[in-house]
Amino acid sequence: MTTCTPRAAWGNLLRRLHFYIGLFVGPFIFIAALSGTLYVATPQLENALYHHALFSESQGTARPLAEQIAVAEKVTGGELRLQAIRPGLTTGETTRVMYIDPALNASENRAIFIDPVSLEVRGDMTVYGTSGILPLRQKIDYLHRSLLLGDVGRIYSELAASWMWIAALGGIALWFYTRPKRRINNRFQNRRRLHVSLGWSLLLGMLLFSATGLTWSQWAGGNVDKLRAEMHWLTPQVNTQLHGPAEAVDPHAEHHGHHMTMPMPEMKPDLALYDGVLRAANAAGIDATKLEIRPAKRASQAWTVTEIDRGWPTQVDAVAVDPATLTVVDRTRFADYPLMAKLTRWGVDFHMGVLFGLPNQLVLIAFGLALCVMIVWGYRMWWMRRPRQTATDPAQTLYQSWLALPLGGRVVSLAVSVALGLMMPVMGCSLALFVVIDWLRWRAASRLSLAKSTD
């Protein structure tokens, strides 16, 4: 193996790794970027498509929540457990009465849309997640999250999130190591210049979307939550226990709802309690126009009223209300959240395109499309510069490029790779696969070259 300077060795390793990320992970990042762009671009389309269910032209005073829920109970036959109420507090908006339906998937609820003034049933459909998205965006979200393949498909999005930040930082580092000292005007450098310019422009976005995307992932997400718990960065949750210590909080609660395993309540609460609990929450300062009321799972627990307005300024305060006395027994304020919990909240909401409304959407649409262009342009660069025949030089493999590093570089890079692989298992497994594929490809090319030379 030929020797090279440390700078050249690092450049060779970065180039080879960046190539493999682009070749094998690039398509998954492309799909995630394109489907994510569709997701943030369709709220207005969803509002238009489901306008009859979401909005009403009725004028007048809203009827009590008890009456609205009673109408929804007639629609469901009273056989489903009521999960939550999202009152229509803004003129022209309907109330959502959401039920747990065993026929639906986790995090899905059956929602009955009620006109709060006329008590007309305006819609009956499935809603998904904390954001309460409707069927159109739910399909796009499933595509973005798992390619419509369920939990198995979530490997793809975790793979994309795990590697995107490495591709971004590695590409910038590769540019530093390989940029020409003077401007060169040729076709390849001009093509490379566009790829680099897009990389610099999208760098912060790729880092942000990798970080927020990993919080939703199956394996890396659990490790992120453990880190957040140890650093006291978890989102505060209200204590709903009326007697005894607080129950352990699911660290993923803000991202999903495993309601299928929730115990059934001992008895159905008086519907009038919903109005009383809402008044108690309003008196305690819960004043957002987007609220969710959740009845207690058991008689020993309090009800919760949570602000769910994720726009700017963020309103996500919550209170726990004792249904027997209609007094607030616990509360959380967004203003009191730890800084990292606030940043997580803002990062997730920005990722979903809701933090700053339409400007947020436009920025994400531009980002997603530019990322797709950068990936396609990277493939074009590779195709134009690809070797006509497979190279058999072992120095071009990941393993040999790593061996060419100085001893200290090998130790540090190996330690970092192992640590990142443990933190992000999908990234670690795929990195090992890259090395194996590279070695097998080199072995096959070497045998073919040897066979040709002996003919």
Side-chain angles (χ1 to χ4, degrees), residues 369-433:
L369 294 178
L371 182 56
C372 290
V373 169
M374 185 178 71
I375 293 170
V376 171
W377 199 259
Y379 271 99
R380 184 174 184 271
M381 289 171 54
W382 165 71
W383 185 257
M384 299 295 290
R385 298 266 301 179
R386 74 192 189 283
R388 295 303 176 185
Q389 60 183 13
T390 302
T392 59
D393 183 0
Q396 295 188 24
T397 65
L398 272 173
Y399 176 66
Q400 293 294 337
S401 298
W402 174 76
L403 284 180
L405 297 177
L407 177 60
R410 277 178 279 165
V411 172
V412 172
S413 60
L414 180 61
V416 171
S417 298
V418 171
L420 290 178
L422 293 175
M423 187 70 179
M424 297 177 289
V426 173
M427 187 280 288
C429 292
S430 57
L431 177 59
L433 187 61

Side-chain angles (χ1 to χ4, degrees), residues 24-96:
F24 294 117
V25 186
F28 299 110
I29 299 177
F30 181 92
I31 295 172
L34 186 59
S35 58
T37 300
L38 290 174
Y39 180 89
V40 301
T42 51
Q44 290 80 5
L45 177 60
E46 190 172 63
N47 287 343
L49 186 62
Y50 304 109
H51 186 274
H52 185 268
L54 296 173
F55 305 102
S56 169
E57 294 74 33
S58 299
Q59 301 293 323
T61 304
R63 306 294 289 272
L65 289 178
E67 296 182 23
Q68 299 180 49
I69 299 169
V71 174
E73 290 283 309
K74 292 180 182 179
V75 176
T76 63
E79 298 178 354
L80 300 179
R81 184 167 84 81
L82 201 155
Q83 168 81 342
I85 307 293
R86 295 190 176 186
L89 301 177
T90 301
T91 302
E93 290 187 353
T94 57
T95 294
R96 296 189 189 191

Side-chain angles (χ1 to χ4, degrees), residues 259-283:
H259 58 248
M260 303 305 292
T261 60
M262 290 181 180
M264 296 296 286
E266 298 170 7
M267 59 182 296
K268 286 191 174 183
D270 182 356
L271 295 184
L273 280 176
Y274 287 89
D275 294 284
V277 168
L278 179 58
R279 285 193 296 270
N282 290 154

